[in-house]
Amino acid sequence: MSLEESFRDRTFVVDDPDARIRRDDDLMAFVAAPGGGFKTIAKGTSVKIVEVRLEEAGSKKRLVFGRAATADGAQTLGWTSTRNLAGTFMNETIGLVPPEPGATRFGPNAAWDNGQFLEQLDLVAIVDSALEIERLAMKTIAPFAALVAAAKDDGVRITLNSGFRSYPEQKLLHDGFVRGLPGFNTAAKPGFSKHQNGIAFDLSVAGGDGNPTYEWLKRRATSFGFVRTVSKEPWHWEFDEARARAAQAGGGFKTPNVRD
């Protein structure tokens, strides 16, 4: 399995009756069909995605498009939105994001912990629960994929809300929180968030207790090296095998500091 581009190892099913094919030279435009209308890929068609592209759609949002081929790879069908596919490409990794040459400690791949710069990380782009692009540390992709697969086998879907954050991203969130701006929640100072050291995951567990995903995580996450580490944040989990083993040995799923 390709950790950096998981989509290459999968077969997808078209789930939209209007899965239009896009133009190679302009993915925001559609390919016209002879006689009128647009070319589409029929709903229910099994396809391979052989290439992906991202297109900007607003200040932060990016759309993911895939070049689809028949499941046997014999025929290229064309570019289409990955939102037309069953599963909508959630949790698919779509490419390695290595540190840029000469990257500084405040760059997009710089890891921090407790106010100290650690290292430059290899990151991987991944599609989150809102169909936006997050980044995870390469070293956590395999355990996260194992966690997701095990949950799926049990009929539970785990999806990502937030992963790695750069120093500027954390600074923006912290500044918005301090200023009380609408839409900004509690955020640690830049350099102090666990989202900056490559081990933190915010997962979709709306409501906490009683949510099927959260209940599954409480039972199984520590077996995959994940542990809850922040009070009042049931969505915040970290990949920390030592602390996960300690929690599991005590019959729990949280670090000792987590009270609720």
Side-chain angles (χ1 to χ4, degrees), residues 99-245:
E100 299 175 353
T104 73
R105 58 183 180 151
F106 300 111
N109 293 61
W112 288 73
D113 187 40
N114 199 30
Q116 300 294 317
F117 166 70
L118 300 178
E119 60 180 326
Q120 300 289 344
L121 295 176
D122 279 331
L123 303 175
V124 175
I126 185 170
V127 181
D128 72 6
S129 57
L131 304 185
E132 298 178 353
I133 308 303
E134 301 290 341
R135 292 156 299 147
L136 296 177
M138 179 66 192
K139 61 188 178 183
T140 68
I141 292 296
F144 181 65
L147 183 79
V148 169
K152 183 178 179 180
D153 287 344
D154 290 340
V156 173
R157 190 175 198 182
I158 291 177
T159 54
L160 183 71
N161 284 343
S162 183
F164 178 82
R165 296 178 196 153
S166 68
Y167 195 98
E169 287 170 329
Q170 189 65 33
K171 185 177 186 304
L172 176 67
L173 293 175
H174 181 256
D175 288 349
F177 163 63
V178 170
R179 295 169 60 191
L181 298 179
F184 285 83
N185 300 315
T186 302
K189 293 180 181 179
F192 289 83
S193 171
K194 294 300 183 182
H195 284 279
Q196 291 184 255
N197 70 4
I199 66 170
F201 295 69
D202 283 352
L203 305 177
S204 295
V205 293
D209 286 331
N211 176 279
T213 299
Y214 185 59
E215 295 299 329
W216 187 93
L217 288 167
K218 286 161 63 173
R219 296 191 305 271
R220 300 287 310 279
T222 54
S223 299
F224 296 88
F226 289 83
V227 62
R228 244 200 79 188
T229 62
V230 180
S231 293
K232 299 182 179 180
E233 294 189 6
W235 56 85
H236 184 102
W237 295 75
E238 295 178 17
F239 179 66
D240 188 320
E241 292 176 293
R243 289 195 293 172
R245 284 194 298 269

